[in-house]
Amino acid sequence: MGEDKETKERLIESAKAEFTEKGYMKASLRKICADAGVTTGALYFFFTDKEDLFAAIVGKPLDELKNMLLGHFAMEKEMPLSEIYEHIDGGHDELSAALMHHLYANYDAFMLLLTKAQGTRFEGAVDQMVDMIEITYRALYENMARKIPNKQVNPYMLHWLSHMIIDAFIHLITHERDESRAVVIMSRIMNFLVGGWMDLVLEDKEY
Amino acid sequence: MGEDKETKERLIESAKAEFTEKGYMKASLRKICADAGVTTGALYFFFTDKEDLFAAIVGKPLDELKNMLLGHFAMEKEMPLSEIYEHIDGGHDELSAALMHHLYANYDAFMLLLTKAQGTRFEGAVDQMVDMIEITYRALYENMARKIPNKQVNPYMLHWLSHMIIDAFIHLITHERDESRAVVIMSRIMNFLVGGWMDLVLEDKEY
Amino acid sequence: MGEDKETKERLIESAKAEFTEKGYMKASLRKICADAGVTTGALYFFFTDKEDLFAAIVGKPLDELKNMLLGHFAMEKEMPLSEIYEHIDGGHDELSAALMHHLYANYDAFMLLLTKAQGTRFEGAVDQMVDMIEITYRALYENMARKIPNKQVNPYMLHWLSHMIIDAFIHLITHERDESRAVVIMSRIMNFLVGGWMDLVLEDKEY
Amino acid sequence: MGEDKETKERLIESAKAEFTEKGYMKASLRKICADAGVTTGALYFFFTDKEDLFAAIVGKPLDELKNMLLGHFAMEKEMPLSEIYEHIDGGHDELSAALMHHLYANYDAFMLLLTKAQGTRFEGAVDQMVDMIEITYRALYENMARKIPNKQVNPYMLHWLSHMIIDAFIHLITHERDESRAVVIMSRIMNFLVGGWMDLVLEDKEY
DNA sequence: TATGAATGAGATTTCATTCAT
DNA sequence: CATGAATGAAATCTCATTCAT
């Protein structure tokens, strides 16, 4: 079985295995091809180079993820502030459930992207996501700051919190294989984070 | 200037630069030697191999760090529980200030260790530190759990929180070059973390 | 001429020349490849490493030789003693002619194997052959010793004679390029050796 | 003890060990120096290069050996033929006992010379000795041949027998560490060889 | 005498990539 | 679509040797 799978498919499968085992840089194209039962030349019919092969695994899931984030934030932008407060408190579960579902639906890809991408153009993907989140939250918090006297956004904390959110996802996907359990965990984590949130990011101006 | 520095010193300097720029695996010994103004053979007079060169930069600072953690935890072990509560609340500042000082006193080394060690025997160093912290906190929280009815330790949260502490340090050192500012930030972060701490790690038994 | 020979063939040819000239250890793969008109990488398409290249030259002929010896000895095992006596006296010519033919049919390979293999896994090949012969002759002589009162096998002489036989072949192949002349010489040598044979290996028990 | 031995002596001792273990080519001067407790530079005060170090071990014993052979052969040259016959039969024991004594008095040196000299200018030493013996015996046998009608010297056999004698010594020194036992063995071997000697080397002219 | 440092040339090996067929 | 062969550049490492001090 599986032997009549298309070559491209087989290459991607063995690439996943090799990248997972050795990381991008130490992964050997020779081995990937051998495992897929073809010669190196064949690989170059389907992919332009090593990185393209990696991209074939992680590219689409990553783009979809970005679009989900973008879509969500676009939505928030158009909300009145009052709704946003609710959204922050309650809506996280909704978004994070959706994200989580996407993450776990593409488990292998995100595993590679988040932990084995060093040496590829994706090695900055985590930071990019952090930045995406950060930009959105900056808008949000600065909006708040303007309405509360003597408060300002602390940029470091903003960045760190953005990082923590992403790290929470990474930690989850690398430590909990079951999606439904992961959703429960993430819910509790978000509650925790949101608790101390505002005090940390919004500081008194004399700081 | 610097041309009369000793060769070993120059090698370490250019190694730092090269490792920082390219990461361990992509770093070229040729380039390191050329930048230091010696031939490749010279490197092997001072270091047994590439990894030994990396270790010459990060090894000692890492060991010292481990000893600091170990020393601290050993101390906690011998305290009565009442003191430990205080210690957790107040004492963190003390320890983290000391750690931070050590981190910043060896800024370059920890930068490499924490972000460029892939491919060396140090690539698991972060996880090791997480484990060290986790072990200590597990003892602490299980101790507490035994004294509060119907509570138990949630192992995932324990692990995640341990991770978060380490990540907080990593994030700090990679985003804030000034030590005194870093100490202030870390103090606030710790306050935040300790706040929600117990609710997260100690859960009701029916969970 | 010879430029359209296949690369692998050319590599083996220039390897033979280089190994012959310099010995295994001092032989340079660069030179072998240059002489064959390819880059060093090409070599590694056909051979896994330097030793594999050497093995590609000497491995098969050596295995065949071993099989010839094994086959012959297996035959002797099944003979009644009376026939063996004849066999020793007369049959040697038969075996040694066959061996000789094999040796000279693979002249280059055995030349390398017997005189240039230091540093390879074949460097013990001569001793192995000696051992093979010795084991067989030990059985034979011990068999005889049991039937002659007050005689025993002298292990040193047994070993030395085994060595002498192998050395006779080595000496021949390194000093006489013509096969038919070699066969004649070997025949006379064997006659000589067989003459004093028994007195030397079978000694009086009081020794 | 031994620590106040002179450096040169210690170098030679550790060189013996290293050459014996690894052979000349694979032997590491670094290791030899380290074992002797000095740095590489020191070695070059006493020896001009690696080969000179090897020569310092084997050179003198080899020269002495050559002189012994030369002296003996010179003596034979001046003898009347009648005495030589006796000499061949009986005198071998005398010479070979002397040779053997010399060999075993310089056991380590000859071990190296005979089995580990590949890569040095001594790698041909065995052949040289063979040649020395051969030259002498050629004179002897040609002398005889002239006096016996229809006989001539077979050059191949002459060479092979010369080889066999040397090989007998080599085999002995590599398999029997005790000198007195070695002398006994050699005596028996020589008897055996001399037995078939003449028939082999002196052949009918129609050959 | 001996050290410690450094050279410089070379070694084998690996690998992504290319391309004619 | 895929093969098999080959490239070419680079990699790490080893080692005998030299030399100023």
Side-chain angles (χ1 to χ4, degrees), chain D residues 5-205:
Chain D
K5 249 192 288 179
E6 287 172 26
T7 301
K8 189 174 181 178
E9 212 53 47
R10 287 205 317 276
L11 279 168
I12 286 186
E13 286 314 310
S14 54
K16 272 184 189 171
E18 175 79 354
F19 286 139
T20 299
E21 190 189 332
K22 307 223 190 93
Y24 176 77
M25 287 168 106
K26 281 200 175 163
S28 156
L29 292 187
R30 265 197 184 63
K31 177 143 202 300
I32 289 171
C33 291
D35 288 352
V38 294
T39 53
T40 42
L43 192 149
Y44 284 84
F45 179 79
F46 296 105
F47 310 99
T48 63
D49 57 18
K50 192 182 190 183
E51 194 168 60
D52 187 46
L53 173 58
F54 192 83
I57 302 172
V58 304
K60 211 175 115 192
L62 175 59
D63 284 343
E64 287 165 355
L65 180 74
K66 284 181 181 172
N67 288 336
M68 290 175 72
L69 288 173
L70 253 28
H72 176 78
F73 297 144
M75 229 173 57
E76 268 186 350
K77 262 196 183 155
E78 292 162 9
M79 282 184 190
L81 195 55
S82 58
E83 280 184 37
I84 289 186
Y85 285 117
E86 281 174 47
H87 209 243
I88 287 180
D89 280 12
H92 277 297
D93 282 2
E94 210 178 304
L95 174 62
S96 67
L99 288 179
M100 209 79 87
H101 189 64
H102 182 63
L103 253 47
Y104 277 84
N106 301 278
Y107 189 83
D108 294 350
F110 281 107
M111 203 70 176
L112 287 181
L113 177 65
L114 298 173
T115 65
K116 311 280 179 180
Q118 204 173 97
T120 72
R121 67 184 143 99
F122 296 97
E123 70 185 341
V126 169
D127 289 336
Q128 274 179 47
M129 288 189 246
V130 171
D131 288 347
M132 285 176 63
I133 296 197
E134 189 180 353
I135 287 170
T136 312
Y137 280 104
R138 171 170 299 123
L140 184 63
Y141 280 102
E142 281 178 349
N143 201 350
M144 288 187 200
R146 248 173 273 124
K147 311 203 167 160
I148 309 177
N150 268 67
K151 288 284 181 187
Q152 63 184 7
V153 172
N154 178 321
Y156 183 91
M157 291 300 173
L158 182 64
H159 189 67
W160 178 60
L161 281 166
S162 307
H163 230 298
M164 269 213 334
I165 294 175
I166 298 298
D167 284 351
F169 281 99
I170 294 177
H171 191 261
L172 208 39
I173 209 176
T174 52
H175 289 81
E176 175 56 68
R177 175 65 257 231
D178 182 76
E179 180 180 344
S180 57
R181 278 201 296 269
V183 169
V184 173
I185 292 171
M186 184 51 81
S187 168
R188 301 188 61 203
I189 286 178
M190 280 298 175
N191 278 341
F192 164 60
L193 292 179
V194 171
W197 216 250
M198 216 168 307
D199 288 348
L200 217 52
V201 177
L202 255 41
E203 65 187 358
D204 291 344
K205 271 195 176 158

Side-chain angles (χ1 to χ4, degrees), chain A residues 25-26 156 159 171-172, chain B residues 25-26 156 159 171-172 175:
Chain A
M25 288 169 106
K26 282 200 174 162
Y156 183 91
H159 189 67
H171 191 260
L172 207 39
Chain B
M25 289 170 103
K26 283 202 172 161
Y156 183 91
H159 189 65
H171 190 261
L172 208 38
H175 289 80

